[in-house]
């Protein structure tokens, strides 16, 4: 089965159920399938053929669903992109992916047209919500009075590439992780089984759909079971809280920084009794944040983990089993994990090493990058680049990124450990730690901190705070106060960008 067939099954079972809710708009499954079918036929008219790649640029609005499903119905491969990218960044993906068409909104047309200028091949734009402004080859779904019927049977097989998700590029230029229909459906089925999801659930989608986390957990998962998605294009705390109560949301998935903000706000009036599941991923969830959120709303947060290359979920604390705060949980069904040394040898519980994954959700490989694919896919195992450990119960703990490890005189310093200590200081809201060159020790830790509103602390006091809680070699030698930290859309601090300016 393909993703398109899976979603069309939902439309056949629940044609009048709202698939997408955005402000005062409600798009039923019947309407979504109809509009997506029209988009698929327009893509075909533009020259898109099965297995072509189509770039999709849209925030979390109903048009994203139309463009995504329309591309799948055409038998093509979705390449979702952040709508905040500049033209040069879009151009890089157009070049790298060899995309034959672009789907976007009217507001993004100037950026998209600049990006494709001088590309050297046809790359027409399908505008979903307004006029295409009559450039040769471009079309507008909004100007089609009656959408053509959807193709009777989507072309392709489960082994075909369905989506090519470009990684955040924290360690270089973004790479396109190729995920097949089988990869994604396997991940959907396993995640659904652990969380006991059903068509009666209502998902609140704030995380961007163009990212693997939001794309799988908040977009494909609910559509695959006939559930409803409430859309919020940006994280605005008051709007999120209002949506949770108004739409009787049952599942919210976010990143730790979102939960930290919600936990710090006064609890508003409203009925949150339908909210049964909160999921966290994308970055480590500090235990104090989880405890504060649960104390305020009475809802536990279930932390999970997974990289884009694994479609992306590998682990999650089970809502109907043991939850361990500070852990990302055990592997989901069908996934094998182990902790290995640099030679790929399995390590014992409690030992820190690289997390390796195997399962039907692991990507086919990086687009146009055989060497980089071979470097991470070894002997049937995907090497995540994340350092972690596993306990005797099979629960995993993320220690840090392997590339972020700091070697101080030959001793390992994991930045996340130092960051957690700094973040426990009453004056510190966020912290990031990197290694900087040192003539004697090779590297030493340097910290960057953001203070809480109205709070201050002297650098020597923060260093002393760390010295009381960490071995001396782990203590930052210097501390810089900053107003913000560069982050990805899922809240991960971009250490490479900090290093470049340190």
């Amino acid at each position: 089965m393909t993703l398109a067939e899976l979603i069309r099954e939902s439309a056949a079972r629940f044609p009048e159920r709202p698939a997408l809710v955005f402000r005062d708009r409600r798009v039923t499954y019947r309407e979504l399938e109809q509009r997506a079918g029209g988009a698929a036929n327009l893509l075909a008219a533009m020259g898109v053929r099965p297995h072509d790649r189509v770039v999709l640029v849209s925030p979390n609005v109903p048009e994203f669903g139309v463009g995504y499903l329309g591309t799948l119905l055409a038998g093509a491969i979705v390449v979702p992109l952040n709508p905040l990218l500049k033209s040069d960044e879009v151009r890089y993906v157009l070049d790298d992916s060899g995309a034959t068409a672009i789907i976007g909104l009217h507001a993004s047309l100037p950026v998209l047209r600049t990006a494709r200028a001088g590309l050297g091949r046809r790359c027409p734009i399908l505008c979903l919500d307004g006029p295409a402004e009559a450039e040769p080859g471009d079309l507008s779904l909004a100007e089609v009075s009656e959408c053509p019927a959807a193709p009777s049977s989507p072309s392709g097989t489960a082994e075909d590439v369905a989506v090519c998700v470009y990684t955040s590029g924290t360690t270089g230029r973004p790479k396109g992780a190729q995920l097949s229909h089988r990869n994604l459906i396997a991940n959907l089925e396993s995640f659904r089984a652990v969380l006991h999801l059903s068509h009666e659930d209502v998902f609140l989608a704030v995380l961007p759909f163009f990212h693997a986390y939001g794309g799988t957990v908040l977009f494909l998962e609910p559509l695959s079971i006939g559930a409803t998605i409430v859309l919020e294009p940006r994280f605005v705390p008051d709007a999120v809280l209002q949506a949770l109560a108004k739409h009787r949301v049952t599942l919210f998935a976010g990143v730790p920084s979102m939960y930290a903000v919600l936990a710090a706000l006064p609890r508003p009036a409203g009925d949150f009794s339908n909210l049964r599941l909160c999921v966290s991923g994308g970055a480590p969830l500090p235990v104090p944040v989880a405890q504060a959120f649960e104390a305020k709303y009475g809802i536990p947060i279930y932390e999970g983990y997974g990289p884009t290359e694994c479609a992306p979920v590998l682990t999650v604390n089970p809502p109907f089993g043991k939850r361990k705060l500070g852990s990302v949980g055990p592997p989901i069904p069908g996934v094998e994990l182990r902790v290995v040394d640099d030679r790929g040898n399995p390590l014992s519980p409690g030992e820190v090493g690289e997390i390796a994954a195997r399962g039907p959700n692991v990507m086919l490989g990086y687009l146009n990058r055989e060497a980089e694919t071979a470097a991470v896919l070894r002997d049937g195992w995907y090497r995540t680049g994340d350092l972690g450990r596993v306990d005797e119960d099979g629960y995993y703990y993320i220690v840090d990124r392997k590339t972020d490890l700091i070697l101080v005189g030959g001793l390992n310093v994991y930045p996340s450990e130092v960051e957690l200590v700094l973040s426990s200081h009453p004056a510190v809201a966020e912290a990031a730690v990197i290694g900087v060159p040192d003539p004697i020790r090779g590297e030493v830790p340097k910290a960057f901190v953001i203070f809480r509103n109205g709070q201050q602390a002297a650098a020597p006091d923060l260093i002393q705070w760390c010295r009381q809680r960490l071995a001396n070699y782990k203590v930052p030698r210097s501390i810089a106060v900053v107003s913000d930290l560069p982050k990805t859309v899922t809240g991960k601090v971009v250490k490479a960008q900090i290093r470049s300016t340190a």
Side-chain angles (χ1 to χ4, degrees):
M1 180 174 285
T2 65
L3 289 169
E5 290 169 326
L6 198 61
I7 297 171
R8 293 186 78 183
E9 274 195 0
S10 294
R13 292 173 60 205
F14 310 108
E16 302 309 320
R17 172 169 289 155
L20 303 167
V21 177
F22 178 61
R23 308 289 156 76
D24 59 350
R25 294 175 61 190
R26 287 177 174 265
V27 180
T28 67
Y29 274 91
R30 186 196 305 278
E31 291 165 339
L32 175 61
E33 182 183 22
Q34 181 188 35
R35 298 292 289 176
N41 285 346
L42 290 180
L43 287 172
M46 295 162 68
V48 173
R49 298 294 176 257
H51 312 300
D52 281 357
R53 283 173 286 276
V54 175
V55 164
L56 171 60
V57 184
S58 171
N60 286 14
V61 293
E63 284 74 20
F64 181 96
V66 172
Y68 195 109
L69 181 56
T71 301
L72 295 178
L73 286 171
I77 299 165
V78 184
V79 184
L81 289 189
N82 186 342
L84 298 180
L85 294 184
K86 305 300 183 184
S87 57
D88 286 351
E89 296 167 306
V90 176
R91 173 58 177 264
Y92 166 77
V93 175
L94 292 177
D95 282 328
D96 189 71
S97 69
T100 58
I102 306 170
I103 300 177
L105 305 186
H106 187 262
S108 65
L109 288 179
V111 169
L112 300 181
R113 289 199 166 118
T114 300
R116 73 173 178 184
L119 194 59
R121 65 175 188 276
R122 289 186 70 254
C123 195
I125 297 170
L126 173 60
C127 183
L128 296 177
D129 68 337
E133 297 179 346
E135 285 210 11
D138 294 348
L139 295 174
S140 169
L141 182 62
E143 293 179 327
V144 177
S145 57
E146 291 188 11
C147 290
S152 57
S153 57
S155 58
T157 71
E159 305 305 320
D160 290 336
V161 178
V163 185
C164 183
V165 184
Y166 275 77
T167 61
S168 58
T170 55
T171 55
R173 292 290 259 175
K175 303 181 291 291
Q178 299 180 98
L179 300 170
S180 69
H181 293 271
R182 178 173 179 265
N183 291 153
L184 288 157
I185 291 174
N187 211 228
L188 296 175
E189 291 176 343
S190 295
F191 189 71
R192 179 188 316 150
V194 174
L195 270 63
H196 292 204
L197 303 174
S198 80
H199 63 274
E200 296 179 345
D201 278 307
V202 178
F203 293 63
L204 178 59
V206 179
L207 293 172
F209 290 153
F210 63 78
H211 190 272
Y213 179 11
T216 292
V217 172
L218 295 173
F219 179 70
L220 290 175
E221 186 68 85
L223 292 183
S224 72
I225 56 177
T228 295
I229 308 171
V230 178
L231 303 170
E232 284 291 338
R234 294 185 302 117
F235 178 68
V236 179
D238 289 344
V240 166
L241 291 169
Q242 290 174 15
L244 288 172
K246 176 182 178 181
H247 297 286
R248 304 179 69 81
V249 169
T250 63
L251 185 145
F252 176 76
V255 295
S257 58
M258 294 178 181
Y259 290 110
V261 170
L262 295 176
L265 291 173
R267 175 173 170 148
D271 182 4
F272 300 97
S273 61
N274 283 77
L275 186 59
R276 66 182 185 89
L277 285 172
C278 284
V279 178
S280 181
L285 175 68
V287 171
V289 170
Q291 292 171 331
F293 182 87
E294 184 171 352
K296 182 159 290 185
Y297 294 96
I299 304 157
I301 302 173
Y302 297 93
E303 186 175 6
Y305 157 74
T308 296
E309 291 85 347
C310 295
V313 185
L314 288 176
T315 70
V316 68
N317 274 274
F320 301 92
K322 181 186 293 184
R323 179 179 64 133
K324 293 190 179 185
L325 286 177
S327 162
V328 295
I332 62 175
V335 168
E336 295 178 75
L337 290 186
R338 63 186 187 186
V339 179
V340 300
D341 62 19
D342 288 339
R343 296 181 179 179
N345 300 312
L347 297 175
S348 300
E351 293 186 282
V352 174
E354 185 175 5
I355 295 175
R358 182 167 66 181
N361 56 319
V362 174
M363 69 168 181
L364 303 180
Y366 295 120
L367 179 65
N368 303 325
R369 285 173 169 76
E370 291 185 9
E372 290 174 76
T373 298
V376 297
L377 291 177
R378 301 185 226 167
D379 303 319
W381 290 84
Y382 170 68
R383 303 288 284 269
T384 65
D386 291 315
L387 294 172
R389 58 184 174 85
V390 61
D391 66 18
E392 297 287 353
D393 295 326
Y395 281 60
Y396 281 76
Y397 298 77
I398 307 302
V399 174
D400 226 315
R401 284 292 295 171
K402 192 173 182 179
T403 52
D404 290 339
L405 180 69
I406 304 170
L407 284 174
V408 180
L411 298 173
N412 291 349
V413 175
Y414 303 112
S416 61
E417 181 183 9
V418 186
E419 290 160 2
L420 287 172
V421 168
L422 282 166
S423 296
S424 69
H425 189 283
V428 176
E430 292 185 72
V433 174
I434 63 169
V436 295
D438 181 83
I440 297 174
R441 299 175 183 85
E443 284 185 301
V444 292
K446 177 177 181 178
F448 296 77
V449 301
I450 299 173
F451 288 137
R452 298 184 187 279
N453 289 339
Q455 301 288 318
Q456 294 288 328
D461 293 338
L462 293 176
I463 291 173
Q464 182 61 22
W465 176 272
C466 292
R467 199 174 297 282
Q468 293 170 347
R469 293 161 175 82
L470 295 167
N472 283 342
Y473 70 92
K474 300 179 183 179
V475 175
R477 298 305 190 270
S478 60
I479 293 180
V481 178
V482 295
S483 58
D484 59 14
L485 294 167
K487 294 178 182 177
T488 68
V489 293
T490 55
K492 291 181 183 177
V493 175
V494 185
K495 297 284 181 74
Q497 192 170 331
I498 296 177
R499 292 189 196 100
S500 68
T501 58

